[in-house]
Amino acid sequence: MKLLNRVLKGDVRAAAQLIRSLEDDVPEAVAELKDVYLHTGQAYIVGIAGAPGAGKSTILESLIDIFRKGNMKIGVVAIDPTSPLSGGAILGDRLRMQRQGADEDVFIRSLASRGWKGGLSKATMNTVHVLDAMGKDIIFVEAVGSGQGEVDFARIADTSIVTLIPGLGDEIQMMKAGIMEMADIFVINKAEREGSDNLRMSLEAMLSMTPHQPNTWQPNILLTEAILNKGTEQLAKVILRHKDFLISSNKIEKCRRRRAELELTAAIESTLHHHLETMSGCLLVKLIDDLVLRKTDPKSAALKVINLPEQK
Amino acid sequence: MNLERKARVLIAKPGLDGHDRGVKIIARAYRDAGFEVIYTGVHQTPEQIVNAAIQEDVDLVGLSCLSGAHLYLFSEVMRQLRERGADDITVIGGGIIPKEDVPKLREAGMKEVFLPGTSLAQIITWTRENIKLK
Ligand SMILES: Nc1nc2c(ncn2[C@@H]2O[C@H](COP(=O)(O)OP(=O)(O)OP(=O)(O)O)[C@@H](O)[C@H]2O)c(=O)[nH]1
Ligand SMILES: [Mg+2]
C-alpha cells in the first residue's frame, strides 16, 4: 500500500517514514506529495520563535497538555541547528516534551536545519503537510532558537508567538526590525526573573507606537513560567481567540496565501537549483566561454539557462 | 551505506539513574561524525523511547544503562519495537553491563552491546558499517 493511504488512516510509522523520505528527497516520496497536498489545509498552524533557551519547547509541552484536555490531536515540528562543521546535529527539543512521550495523539518530529536560512528547514512545510494529512488539529512549529532576522516561522503560521525572557536587552531591541514585528502574541517566559515587568512595559511602549486600526489584531503580551505551567492556560486561550479573530475577519485567507507564496518561491528556487546542478555541463561550459569572451553578460546568460526571454 | 540519506540516531537512557554525562558524550560524538542525533535524555520509559524512535524514524537507537536494570529495560524496548512492527530499527546498548548478560541481550534482539572501555571511535565505526539506510 502507498504510504499515503496508511498516513490518512493515522498510521504513525508510515507518517514518520514519509516525512523522512520527503526530507531526503526520495523520488517515490516526492511523487506522493501531490496526493498528500490534496489532503491538507485543515490543521491550524502555530509558530513559535525566540532566543535559544527562552523556553519555547517547555511552553509547547505545557500548551500540548492543555489542548489535549480539549481532545485536540497535536503535531509538533521542532527545528534545531545543523552543525556547519560536521553536518550533524543534536535535536534536543523533544527532551522538554517528555510528558507527551507516550501519547498516541501527539506526534513530535525533530528536524535539523540542514543549512536552511530563515529559522526553519527545507523539510518543515512537507512535515507539516504530512501531519495535517494525518488529521492533526493543531500543528506547532518551533523555529531554531535565533536572533532577530529569522522570520519564516511567522510566514507559515496562522498564529505567531515570539518568546522573550528578561535580561537580554532594552528598548532599542524592541525597535529593531525582524521577529518583533511578526508577533501576534508576545510571551515573556521565565517571568519569575527580575526584569520581566520592565520588559513588559517596554513592549507595551513599543506596541503603543503603532496606532490601533479597527479590525486588526492588537498583539497580546503574556507572562509565563512555563516550567511550572504558569500562564500557559491563558496563552492557550489567546491562541484560540486569535484563531477566532482570523476566521471571523476572514484574515485566515491571508495566512493561507502567505504560506502558499512562501512554499511556491521555495519550490521555484529549489527546482532551479536542481536544474542547475543536473544541467548538461556543455551548456554551462559554453556560457562560461561566452562570458570570458565578453560575448554575453551574467544576467543574460542566466536568463538563457532558465529559458526566459531577455528583459527589455 | 546510501550517502544520499542522512543517518538519524536516537540516544536515550531508560530507567531511574540520572547520570547523563556518558550519553551526552556519545550524542556529541555522533553529531561530530555527521549524524542527526535525537537526544531525549534520562528517565525514559521504554514506551517513550519506542514512540520517539518511531516518530523520528531513526536508523539506530542507542540505549545506556548504569543502574543494573538493563536486562529488563533493554528487553522491554525490544519487545515493544517488535510489537509495533518497528524491529527493523537497529538497537545497541552500553553502560555498566556484565559480559555474561550480552548473549541474553542479543537474544532479545540487540545488535551490539558495548562494554565499558569501548572507544567512541569504535562505536561510530560500528554504526557506519552496520546501520542500513533505507
Ligand atoms: N527559570 C525558568 N526556567 C525555565 C522556564 N521555562 C523553561 N525553563 C528552562 O529553560 C531551559 C530552556 O528551555 P527550552 O524549553 O529548552 O528552551 P527553547 O527555547 O526551546 O530552547 P532552544 O530550542 O534550544 O532554542 C530549560 O532548562 C528549561 O527547563 C521558566 O519559566 N522559568
Ligand atoms: Mg527548543
Side-chain angles (χ1 to χ4, degrees):
Chain A
M1 193 169 23
K2 283 172 83 179
L3 280 177
L4 175 61
N5 296 331
R6 288 167 56 202
V7 170
L8 294 175
K9 293 198 181 94
D11 184 327
V12 174
R13 188 99 210 271
Q17 289 172 338
L18 183 56
I19 289 169
R20 170 94 185 264
S21 298
L22 284 170
E23 182 173 29
D24 289 343
D25 276 326
V26 175
E28 299 84 54
V30 176
E32 282 205 58
L33 194 57
K34 285 186 193 136
D35 297 323
V36 172
Y37 200 74
L38 299 180
H39 290 90
T40 61
Q42 301 305 312
Y44 192 77
I45 303 175
V46 177
I48 182 164
K56 301 177 290 295
S57 306
T58 313
I59 291 170
L60 289 185
E61 177 177 51
S62 186
L63 282 177
I64 295 168
D65 271 348
I66 295 163
F67 285 116
R68 284 298 294 143
K69 281 186 206 136
N71 223 1
M72 289 172 132
K73 296 194 172 77
I74 312 281
V76 178
V77 185
I79 303 129
D80 270 334
T82 291
S83 157
L85 299 180
S86 71
I90 302 258
L91 309 176
D93 293 317
R94 219 186 163 91
L95 176 66
R96 315 286 181 204
M97 294 182 247
Q98 298 293 350
R99 286 205 296 276
Q100 289 88 25
D103 183 341
E104 281 284 317
D105 285 318
V106 179
F107 190 127
I108 301 168
R109 179 58 168 226
S110 317
L111 295 176
S113 64
R114 297 194 183 177
W116 197 251
K117 304 284 183 295
L120 302 179
S121 71
K122 183 175 165 226
T124 301
M125 274 319 290
N126 285 344
T127 307
V128 167
H129 291 323
V130 174
L131 295 176
D132 188 346
M134 231 187 138
K136 297 303 179 200
D137 300 300
I138 296 197
I139 298 169
F140 294 99
V141 177
E142 178 183 332
V144 174
S146 63
Q148 298 160 320
E150 288 85 358
V151 297
D152 280 354
F153 80 101
R155 298 205 172 104
I156 65 158
D158 298 308
T159 297
S160 305
I161 303 172
V162 169
T163 313
L164 305 166
I165 44 174
L168 280 187
D170 58 19
E171 280 94 302
I172 298 302
Q173 267 71 38
M174 305 282 164
M175 290 158 56
K176 290 189 180 165
I179 66 170
M180 298 299 284
E181 298 172 283
M182 313 304 288
D184 299 307
I185 304 170
F186 287 99
V187 172
I188 299 175
N189 190 41
K190 310 196 185 184
E192 80 278 6
R193 289 195 181 168
E194 196 184 313
S196 54
D197 277 328
N198 279 339
L199 180 55
R200 192 191 51 209
M201 284 187 290
S202 352
L203 262 181
E204 278 167 355
M206 174 195 90
L207 291 176
S208 68
M209 283 193 264
T210 0
H212 183 65
Q213 311 279 348
N215 202 23
T216 58
W217 175 261
Q218 184 71 5
N220 294 60
I221 304 168
L222 297 172
L223 273 67
T224 60
E225 259 177 79
I227 200 145
L228 300 176
N229 302 305
K230 280 194 196 165
T232 43
E233 290 269 357
Q234 184 61 22
L235 175 58
K237 276 189 198 136
V238 175
I239 292 171
L240 292 179
R241 208 189 306 142
H242 183 241
K243 181 184 179 191
D244 288 343
F245 165 81
L246 289 177
I247 292 168
S248 65
S249 63
N250 204 27
K251 288 201 162 49
I252 192 120
E253 178 68 19
K254 225 170 126 185
C255 299
R256 292 185 182 133
R257 295 192 67 87
R258 188 173 58 201
R259 188 150 61 227
E261 183 185 341
L262 186 88
E263 279 201 88
L264 179 61
T265 27
I268 293 172
E269 275 170 27
S270 75
T271 310
L272 281 178
H273 191 76
H274 184 76
H275 181 60
L276 192 62
E277 279 184 340
T278 54
M279 205 172 63
S280 84
C282 314
L283 178 57
L284 270 194
V285 172
K286 162 101 180 49
L287 288 170
I288 293 168
D289 289 345
D290 288 353
L291 281 174
V292 173
L293 295 171
R294 298 297 185 270
K295 285 189 188 162
T296 185
D297 63 287
K299 175 84 188 200
S300 312
L303 291 172
K304 197 171 277 169
V305 169
I306 57 179
N307 240 330
L308 287 177
E310 295 232 11
Q311 283 160 339
K312 298 276 144 56
Chain B
M1 181 165 146
N2 181 347
L3 290 175
E4 298 290 306
R5 307 208 65 175
K6 197 92 185 164
R8 286 167 71 85
V9 304
L10 172 73
I11 303 295
K13 199 155 185 300
L16 295 177
D17 87 276
H19 302 280
D20 60 359
R21 217 179 101 79
V23 279
K24 279 185 178 151
I25 289 172
I26 301 266
R28 277 200 57 157
Y30 273 113
R31 182 199 72 183
D32 293 343
F35 289 75
E36 289 182 359
V37 186
I38 293 97
Y39 177 66
T40 57
V42 296
H43 301 317
Q44 298 283 296
T45 66
E47 192 179 11
Q48 285 174 320
I49 292 170
V50 169
N51 262 337
I54 291 175
Q55 291 182 359
E56 302 285 357
D57 194 34
V58 293
D59 304 294
L60 173 125
V61 177
L63 300 173
S64 158
C65 184
L66 305 176
S67 70
H70 50 271
L71 273 184
Y72 167 73
L73 290 166
F74 291 4
S75 310
E76 186 56 21
V77 169
M78 298 312 299
R79 191 189 66 73
Q80 291 192 25
L81 279 173
R82 250 193 320 278
E83 192 177 278
R84 305 209 23 203
D87 48 348
D88 54 316
I89 298 173
T90 305
V91 184
I92 60 174
I96 303 177
I97 291 164
K99 225 180 176 139
E100 57 270 24
D101 286 348
V102 174
K104 289 177 212 162
L105 292 170
R106 282 183 180 280
E107 205 167 297
M110 295 185 79
K111 284 275 151 34
E112 190 58 275
V113 179
F114 294 103
L115 300 176
T118 316
S119 74
L120 292 170
Q122 280 172 296
I123 298 176
I124 302 289
T125 306
W126 185 94
T127 305
R128 285 225 174 88
E129 285 167 359
N130 286 278
I131 58 173
K132 20 182 192 321
L133 290 179
K134 298 140 221 168

